[in-house]
Amino acid sequence: MARDASRRSRRQARGGPGLKQLPWRQVRNPYSPIEVLSADQIEAIHDASMTVLEEIGMDFLHPQALAILDRAGAQVESGTQRVRFDRGLVEEAVAKAPSQFTLHARNPEHNVVIGGNHIVFATVGSAPNVSDIEGGRRDGNFRDYCDLLRLAQSLNIVHLMGGYPVEAVDLPPATRHLDCVRAFLTLSDKVAFSYSLGRTRIQDGLELTKIARGIDEEQLCREPSLFTVVNTSSPLRLDGPMIEGVIEMARRNQVVVITPFTLSGAMSPVTLAGALVQQNAEALAGLAFAQIVNPGAPVVYGGFTSNVDMKSGAPAFGTPEYSKAALASGQLARRYGLPYRSSNANACNVVDAQAAYESEMSLWGAVMGHANIVLHAAGWMEGGLTASFEKMVLDAEMLQMMAEFLRPIEVNEDTLGLDAIREVGPGGHFFGAAHTLARYETAFYAPILSDWRNFETWEEDGALDTTRRAHRLYKQILADYVAPPTDPATLEALDAFVARRKEEGGAEAA
Amino acid sequence: MARDASRRSRRQARGGPGLKQLPWRQVRNPYSPIEVLSADQIEAIHDASMTVLEEIGMDFLHPQALAILDRAGAQVESGTQRVRFDRGLVEEAVAKAPSQFTLHARNPEHNVVIGGNHIVFATVGSAPNVSDIEGGRRDGNFRDYCDLLRLAQSLNIVHLMGGYPVEAVDLPPATRHLDCVRAFLTLSDKVAFSYSLGRTRIQDGLELTKIARGIDEEQLCREPSLFTVVNTSSPLRLDGPMIEGVIEMARRNQVVVITPFTLSGAMSPVTLAGALVQQNAEALAGLAFAQIVNPGAPVVYGGFTSNVDMKSGAPAFGTPEYSKAALASGQLARRYGLPYRSSNANACNVVDAQAAYESEMSLWGAVMGHANIVLHAAGWMEGGLTASFEKMVLDAEMLQMMAEFLRPIEVNEDTLGLDAIREVGPGGHFFGAAHTLARYETAFYAPILSDWRNFETWEEDGALDTTRRAHRLYKQILADYVAPPTDPATLEALDAFVARRKEEGGAEAA
C-alpha cells in the first residue's frame, strides 16, 4: 500500500508516466514590464476615470450595495441605483487592498502567491461548448468537464482552476454548482473557483472547500482558499448576483477579481484610451466596494479590454489593440499597488496558426504587463465559446515556454564558458566538450508538443501536425491520470454535504 | 495609357485589388526594449568576448584579410590564419560604424532607414526547398523563386528582399546570381540582397543595381543600395568567399550584416552566456574588419544564437532560449551603438500552430530587442530548409499585427472619450455613439488572414483553417500581381549586362 502510494505520488508529480513536463513551480517575472503609456498618460486615464465616477457614476443593482455605499459616504442618487463616488473615497478604499497574498490549495504544495512579480496560469472558464478533434464541437457536459479538470490537474504549468472549464449543461442549474465544486475538490488539489451567481452558490462553495481542506471558518477567513471573478455589466453597471458574490467573498476574506468587459466600440468607447478610462472606473468602483465591505480583503484588478471587428461587431481577441490594453492595464494596476489579472484569449474557430498567434499576442501582453493571474490561460477558443482539449495542451506548451523565458540567463565565470571556447578553438565543435557533457541533459527547455525532427523523419512518422499531436498527448495524459489522494472521511463528508444540499433544492436561479 | 498607369499604381499600392492590407510605411518601435541582462552582465559578456579575441583569436581564411589586419595592427600568427585582436583595436574600429543609415531602393518610396528605433522586415532567404499546400514540398526552382518575389513585392509589410527566398537550383550555379538579381530588380522595387559568395557575384550585383537605379559608381558609394549577410563559420572562423564579400561591399559603402551562427551546444558553448560571448567575439571581429577596410561603412550587428535539441542535435528556433538570446543580443548591439539584425525563426515542418508560436517567440524577441532588420521575417520554415508561400502570408499577418502593436495608444481629451461615456451612460451601448461613428472605419487593425466570424458562419463557409486561407490568399495576391514599372531602356541594359556576363561564363564556384 505504502509503496503503491509513493509510486502514485511520484507519477502524479510528473503528470503521468508519459509526460516529461516542467516540475510544478510558481513562476516569477524578473524583467521590467513593457510600458506602452507614459506616467502622464496613466495619470490622464486615472483622472478621467475619477471624473466618470464623480460625475456620471455607476449603477449598483442591489439594495444591499446601495445601503453599504451610502453608509460609506458615496452619493446614492435618490430613487435610482446610480452611485457617484468622490475620488478621495475611491482612492482611500482601494489603498486598503493588499498588494500580495497567498491563495491556499487543498494540497499546500499547490498554494500560490498572487502579487508582486509572481504569475499564475489558470484554465479556461465558463465555455458553453467543448471540443476535440475526435468528438468535434459539442455542448458542454459533465463528462468533458471532469476530463478537462483531470487534464488541468495533470499539467504542472496550470496553477489554478479558473472557473468551470466548460458548463455542464446536462446537470440541473440549481444543483450544478454542487457537483462541479465537488469535482474541483476531488479530481484536483489545486486552487479552485466559485461563481458569483448569488450568495448561495458562494456559500456552498466555501463550505465544500472547508470540508476538503479540513479547516474551520476562522482558518478559512485567515487563508483565502477560493477565488471569484466579478464582471461588471459594462458600461458602468454591476449586477445583483455579482454584488452578492463580492459581499460574501470579501466578507470572508476570499479573493475577488473585478474584471470589466470593456469591448472597445461596443460596451466602451471606440478609442483604446477611452475604453481604458471606463475599465479603470468600473474596476476601481468594484474594488472600492469590496474594500468598503471588508477593508484589506484580497482583491485583483482585472483588465479585459479588447476590440470588436467593426465590420461585423464580433469581438476580437489577441489583436494588437488587445496586447496594448493588457500592458496598459498592468500599468494601471501597479499605480494602485494592486495584483493584476489578464487572459490568454483568441477568437479562432479551430486550433491552428491563428489560435496560436492570437494567444501569443495575448500572452506576451499578459506576461510583460506583469499580470499576476492569467485566466483562460489553457484551453480557451472562439472568444470563450469553446473549451478545447487540444488547445489546453497547446497552451501548456506555450505557457511552459513563457515560464522558461522568464528564467534569467545565468552569467558567471562558469557559464561564460571561456574554458570551453579555449578547449574547442576555431573550427571545432562543442558536442564533445567537457563543458557540454556536464550540462547537456538540462541545458535547454525540452518541449512537450513541439516536433523538432527533420522533415523526412516527421513525414515517415505520419506527418502529424501540432494539433493532431496535441490530441494524442491529451488522450495519453487522461489515460495516465491519477486522482490526488482524498481521505475517505473527507470524501464522505463532501458527499454528505452535496446530498443534503441537493435535497434542499440547491441554489436559486441567478 | 496615363489612366491605366494611374490605376495600376493605385492597385499596386494596395498590393492588388483584393488585398486590404496596411499601407507601406516604415515601422518604428516607441517602447523601451526588454532587457534580460543587467548592465554588469552585459559588461561581463563584453569583457569575456574581448578575452576570446585577445587570447584565442579567430581564423580569417583569406590572405588579403590577413594582410589588411596585419597592417591595421592585429596580431597575425605566423604561418597560420589565426588573428588576435587587442580590445582597443576592436573597440576603436567598431566605434567608426554609423549607428543609422539609409538603404536605397529602386523605388525611392521603398528606401528604408536602418538604425535607431526603426525596424524593417525582410523575406526568408536561402531556403533549399519551397512548399505550398497544393504542390507540396519540392526543390527550390526559379519559377517559385519569382513567385515568392512577386508575393513579397505585393505585401507592404515586407520591406526588403532578405536573400534569395529559395535557391533556384534549376539554374546553373555560375550564372544563377545574374538571373536572380535581375529578377529582384524587375519583379520588385524594394531593396535587394547580394550574396557574399566571392567577389564576382557582389560586383555583378552592384553593377545590376546601378543600372536598375540609373546611378553611377559615385552615387552608389554615397547611397548604400544593396546588403549582404556574412555568417561566420562558427566557432571563430571567417571563410574566404565571405571575406571577399565584406571587402567588396564595405569598400563600396554597401551594407554588411555580420551574423555568427552560434548554435548553443553545437557551434558554441552549451550555456547561453557562453554562446553570447562567442557570438559577440565573432560579430565584433567581423565588424571591426569591415571598418578597417572602410571606416564608416554601414554595418549591422547580427545575432542568431539559438540552441540544439540535446536529444538529437537538431537545431531549434523560437525556443525560450532563442527569445532571451535575441533580447540580449539587442542589448549588446546597443552597447556598441550598432544597428541590430534578428530573425523570425521556427523549426516546424508544417504551417500550423507550432510554426506560429515559435515565430511569435522569435518576433517578440526581435521586436522588443529593438532589432532594426528582421531577416527571414516572412516565409521561413523548418529551420530555414523550406520557404513556404502560406507561411509568407501568415507571417505578413503577424508582422502587420506587430507594426500595429508598435503604434502608441493616443491619449488626449478626444480619445479619453468622457463625452462618449457621458452620452451612452450606464447600461447603454456604444455602437451608435457619435464618438464611435466618427471613427469606426479606422479604429482598429483589420486583419488580412484572421477569421473572426462565428463558428457556424465559418463552418458553413467551408471551415477553412488558417493555413488553407493563407493558401487562397497567396494565390489571389499572385493573380492580382502587377510588376513595378521599369523603363524599357533600363530593362534592355539589364538584359544586355546579364547576356554579356553569361557569355563570359558568370562567376567562379564559391
Side-chain angles (χ1 to χ4, degrees):
Chain A
M1 261 306 267
R3 208 177 141 189
D4 269 13
S6 135
R7 188 185 300 154
R8 174 192 263 199
S9 115
R10 275 202 313 276
R11 180 185 287 191
Q12 204 177 292
R14 292 199 316 268
L19 185 65
K20 290 200 180 71
Q21 62 181 326
L22 295 182
W24 165 276
R25 104 185 144 82
Q26 187 164 350
V27 180
R28 299 179 78 136
N29 185 345
Y31 310 132
S32 296
I34 298 177
E35 302 200 329
V36 294
L37 295 174
S38 68
D40 284 354
Q41 291 175 321
I42 288 290
E43 283 316 294
I45 290 171
H46 164 73
D47 188 60
S49 64
M50 290 298 118
T51 302
V52 168
L53 292 180
E54 287 180 334
E55 296 181 11
I56 304 169
M58 176 148 160
D59 287 353
F60 280 72
L61 308 187
H62 198 294
Q64 199 181 351
L66 297 175
I68 290 170
L69 288 167
D70 184 52
R71 270 202 306 279
Q75 286 80 55
V76 180
E77 189 179 282
S78 168
T80 75
Q81 297 166 311
R82 183 73 42 92
V83 183
R84 294 186 178 79
F85 296 81
D86 181 80
R87 66 182 65 202
L89 177 66
V90 173
E91 294 194 75
E92 200 183 301
V94 164
K96 290 177 182 151
S99 59
Q100 184 170 310
F101 52 84
T102 297
L103 250 171
H104 293 261
R106 179 156 82 85
N107 175 355
E109 287 177 19
H110 287 164
N111 290 355
V112 289
V113 177
I114 308 294
N117 68 3
H118 296 84
I119 178 166
V120 296
F121 301 119
T123 61
V124 52
S126 314
N129 304 294
V130 59
S131 116
D132 80 330
I133 292 179
E134 199 181 337
R137 187 181 190 257
R138 51 200 181 262
D139 287 345
N141 60 82
F142 192 61
R143 187 189 155 150
D144 285 320
Y145 171 94
C146 290
D147 277 345
L148 284 164
L149 291 191
R150 290 183 182 103
L151 185 56
Q153 167 70 11
S154 304
L155 293 164
N156 289 332
I157 197 69
V158 179
H159 299 106
L160 301 177
M161 302 296 157
Y164 303 165
V166 70
E167 277 294 329
V169 295
D170 53 344
L171 297 185
T175 59
R176 187 185 300 163
H177 67 288
L178 296 166
D179 293 306
C180 287
V181 175
R182 186 194 173 282
F184 272 148
L185 296 169
T186 52
L187 299 178
S188 165
D189 61 6
K190 297 176 180 177
V191 168
F193 184 93
S194 186
Y195 280 92
S196 285
L197 296 169
R199 198 183 310 273
T200 313
R201 286 183 179 80
I202 295 276
Q203 284 170 341
D204 285 340
L206 287 170
E207 289 313 307
L208 285 165
T209 301
K210 278 156 65 178
I211 296 169
R213 287 196 59 208
I215 60 173
D216 59 13
E217 178 71 17
E218 191 273 325
Q219 193 172 350
L220 177 80
C221 293
R222 206 171 60 229
E223 297 180 346
S225 305
L226 213 57
F227 78 112
T228 192
V229 173
V230 166
N231 293 121
T232 53
S233 181
S234 303
L236 297 170
R237 263 195 328 197
L238 197 52
D239 290 338
M242 289 285 177
I243 286 172
E244 290 188 6
V246 176
I247 295 172
E248 193 61 22
M249 289 287 279
R251 201 175 60 73
R252 296 168 80 176
N253 202 39
Q254 304 302 304
V255 178
V256 176
V257 181
I258 307 272
T259 309
F261 185 27
T262 34
L263 205 53
S264 184
M267 291 93 91
S268 73
V270 75
T271 49
L272 266 195
L276 288 166
V277 165
Q278 190 184 309
Q279 170 191 292
N280 200 53
E282 295 179 4
L284 291 186
L287 293 164
F289 174 59
Q291 293 303 313
I292 288 166
V293 168
N294 182 13
V299 292
V300 178
Y301 180 108
F304 207 169
T305 292
S306 193
N307 61 286
V308 292
D309 175 8
M310 291 311 287
K311 280 187 303 225
S312 66
F317 299 98
T319 62
E321 292 81 8
Y322 179 98
S323 305
K324 285 188 272 192
L327 293 165
S329 300
Q331 291 183 258
L332 287 165
R334 287 192 295 282
R335 187 202 178 283
Y336 307 109
L338 295 167
Y340 166 46
R341 167 258 159 117
S342 189
S343 303
N344 171 11
N346 74 88
C348 195
N349 290 306
V350 56
V351 181
D352 69 357
Q354 180 187 333
Y357 66 69
E358 290 184 341
S359 271
E360 285 282 343
M361 290 296 284
S362 301
L363 274 178
W364 277 89
V367 169
M368 293 313 298
H370 275 222
N372 301 106
I373 306 185
V374 182
L375 289 186
H376 308 305
W380 213 66
M381 290 295 297
E382 283 181 48
L385 293 178
T386 291
S388 156
F389 284 95
E390 289 92 4
K391 181 64 163 32
M392 191 173 277
V393 170
L394 173 64
D395 283 330
E397 179 77 299
M398 294 195 287
L399 296 173
Q400 288 204 146
M401 289 170 76
M402 277 292 173
E404 284 294 291
F405 167 73
L406 295 176
R407 286 206 320 174
I409 299 175
E410 265 187 81
V411 181
N412 55 48
E413 206 188 310
D414 194 43
T415 61
L416 286 168
L418 275 179
D419 287 346
I421 299 174
R422 248 189 219 104
E423 179 192 337
V424 172
H429 63 80
F430 287 79
F431 279 127
H435 191 257
T436 308
L437 293 174
R439 290 168 184 78
Y440 80 95
E441 283 190 82
T442 55
F444 307 123
Y445 171 63
I448 56 173
L449 182 61
S450 299
D451 191 326
W452 294 340
R453 294 175 301 172
N454 66 35
F455 184 86
E456 292 75 13
T457 312
W458 168 80
E459 198 176 38
E460 275 165 29
D461 196 30
L464 292 186
D465 69 18
T466 304
T467 306
R468 286 204 186 82
R469 296 198 305 273
H471 181 81
R472 207 162 55 171
L473 189 51
Y474 108 70
K475 289 275 186 183
Q476 178 207 308
I477 294 170
L478 287 187
D480 294 343
Y481 168 83
V482 179
T486 307
D487 180 64
T490 302
L491 208 56
E492 208 172 298
L494 288 171
D495 287 340
F497 182 88
V498 168
R500 175 171 66 77
R501 292 286 300 115
K502 281 189 175 176
E503 252 172 66
E504 291 166 8
E508 70 283 10
Chain B
M1 261 305 269
R3 206 175 144 190
D4 268 14
S6 136
R7 188 184 302 154
R8 175 192 263 199
S9 116
R10 276 203 313 276
R11 181 186 287 191
Q12 204 177 294
R14 292 199 316 267
L19 185 65
K20 290 201 180 70
Q21 61 182 327
L22 295 183
W24 164 278
R25 105 183 144 82
Q26 187 163 351
V27 180
R28 298 179 79 136
N29 185 345
Y31 311 132
S32 295
I34 298 178
E35 302 201 328
V36 294
L37 295 174
S38 69
D40 285 354
Q41 291 176 320
I42 288 290
E43 284 315 295
I45 289 171
H46 163 74
D47 188 60
S49 64
M50 291 297 119
T51 302
V52 168
L53 292 180
E54 286 179 335
E55 296 181 11
I56 304 168
M58 179 148 159
D59 287 352
F60 281 72
L61 307 186
H62 198 293
Q64 200 181 351
L66 298 175
I68 290 170
L69 289 167
D70 183 54
R71 270 202 306 278
Q75 287 78 56
V76 180
E77 190 179 282
S78 167
T80 74
Q81 298 166 311
R82 183 73 42 92
V83 183
R84 293 187 179 80
F85 296 81
D86 183 80
R87 66 182 65 201
L89 176 66
V90 173
E91 293 194 74
E92 200 183 302
V94 165
K96 290 178 182 149
S99 58
Q100 185 171 310
F101 52 84
T102 297
L103 251 171
H104 294 261
R106 179 155 82 85
N107 175 355
E109 287 177 19
H110 288 165
N111 290 354
V112 288
V113 177
I114 309 294
N117 69 3
H118 296 83
I119 178 166
V120 296
F121 300 119
T123 61
V124 51
S126 313
N129 305 293
V130 59
S131 119
D132 80 331
I133 292 178
E134 199 181 336
R137 186 182 190 258
R138 51 200 181 262
D139 287 344
N141 61 81
F142 192 61
R143 187 188 155 149
D144 284 320
Y145 172 94
C146 291
D147 277 344
L148 285 165
L149 291 191
R150 291 184 182 101
L151 186 57
Q153 167 69 10
S154 305
L155 293 164
N156 290 331
I157 196 68
V158 179
H159 299 106
L160 302 177
M161 301 297 157
Y164 304 165
V166 70
E167 276 294 328
V169 295
D170 52 345
L171 298 184
T175 57
R176 186 185 300 162
H177 68 288
L178 296 165
D179 293 308
C180 287
V181 175
R182 186 194 171 283
F184 272 148
L185 296 169
T186 52
L187 298 178
S188 165
D189 60 7
K190 297 177 181 177
V191 169
F193 183 93
S194 186
Y195 281 92
S196 285
L197 295 170
R199 197 183 310 272
T200 313
R201 286 183 180 80
I202 294 276
Q203 284 170 341
D204 285 340
L206 287 171
E207 289 312 307
L208 286 165
T209 301
K210 278 157 65 178
I211 296 169
R213 286 198 59 209
I215 60 173
D216 60 13
E217 179 71 18
E218 191 274 325
Q219 192 172 351
L220 177 80
C221 292
R222 206 173 59 231
E223 297 182 345
S225 307
L226 212 57
F227 78 112
T228 192
V229 173
V230 166
N231 294 121
T232 53
S233 181
S234 303
L236 296 169
R237 263 197 325 198
L238 196 53
D239 290 338
M242 290 285 176
I243 287 172
E244 290 188 6
V246 176
I247 295 173
E248 193 61 23
M249 290 285 280
R251 200 175 62 73
R252 296 168 80 175
N253 202 39
Q254 304 303 303
V255 178
V256 177
V257 181
I258 306 272
T259 310
F261 185 28
T262 35
L263 205 53
S264 184
M267 291 93 91
S268 73
V270 75
T271 49
L272 267 195
L276 288 167
V277 165
Q278 191 185 309
Q279 170 191 293
N280 201 52
E282 295 179 5
L284 291 185
L287 293 164
F289 175 59
Q291 293 303 314
I292 288 166
V293 169
N294 181 13
V299 292
V300 177
Y301 181 108
F304 206 168
T305 292
S306 193
N307 60 287
V308 292
D309 175 8
M310 291 310 288
K311 280 188 303 226
S312 66
F317 299 98
T319 61
E321 292 81 9
Y322 179 98
S323 305
K324 285 188 273 193
L327 294 165
S329 299
Q331 291 183 257
L332 287 164
R334 287 192 296 282
R335 187 201 178 281
Y336 307 109
L338 295 167
Y340 167 46
R341 166 258 160 118
S342 189
S343 305
N344 171 11
N346 74 88
C348 195
N349 290 307
V350 56
V351 181
D352 69 356
Q354 180 187 331
Y357 66 69
E358 290 184 341
S359 270
E360 285 281 343
M361 291 295 284
S362 300
L363 274 178
W364 278 89
V367 169
M368 293 314 298
H370 275 221
N372 301 106
I373 305 185
V374 182
L375 290 185
H376 308 304
W380 213 66
M381 290 295 297
E382 283 181 50
L385 293 179
T386 291
S388 155
F389 284 94
E390 288 92 4
K391 182 65 163 31
M392 191 173 277
V393 170
L394 173 65
D395 283 330
E397 178 78 297
M398 294 195 287
L399 296 173
Q400 288 203 148
M401 290 170 77
M402 277 291 172
E404 285 294 293
F405 168 71
L406 294 176
R407 286 208 317 176
I409 298 175
E410 264 187 82
V411 181
N412 55 48
E413 206 188 310
D414 192 43
T415 60
L416 286 167
L418 274 179
D419 287 346
I421 299 174
R422 251 191 216 100
E423 178 191 339
V424 172
H429 63 79
F430 287 79
F431 279 126
H435 191 257
T436 308
L437 293 174
R439 290 168 185 77
Y440 80 94
E441 283 190 84
T442 56
F444 308 123
Y445 171 63
I448 56 173
L449 182 61
S450 299
D451 192 325
W452 293 341
R453 294 174 301 172
N454 66 34
F455 185 87
E456 291 75 14
T457 312
W458 167 82
E459 198 177 36
E460 276 164 30
D461 195 30
L464 291 186
D465 69 19
T466 304
T467 306
R468 285 202 187 82
R469 296 197 306 273
H471 181 81
R472 205 164 56 172
L473 190 52
Y474 107 71
K475 289 274 187 183
Q476 179 207 307
I477 294 170
L478 287 187
D480 294 342
Y481 168 82
V482 177
T486 307
D487 181 67
T490 303
L491 208 55
E492 208 173 298
L494 288 171
D495 287 340
F497 182 89
V498 168
R500 175 171 67 78
R501 292 287 300 115
K502 282 189 176 177
E503 254 171 66
E504 290 167 7
E508 70 283 9

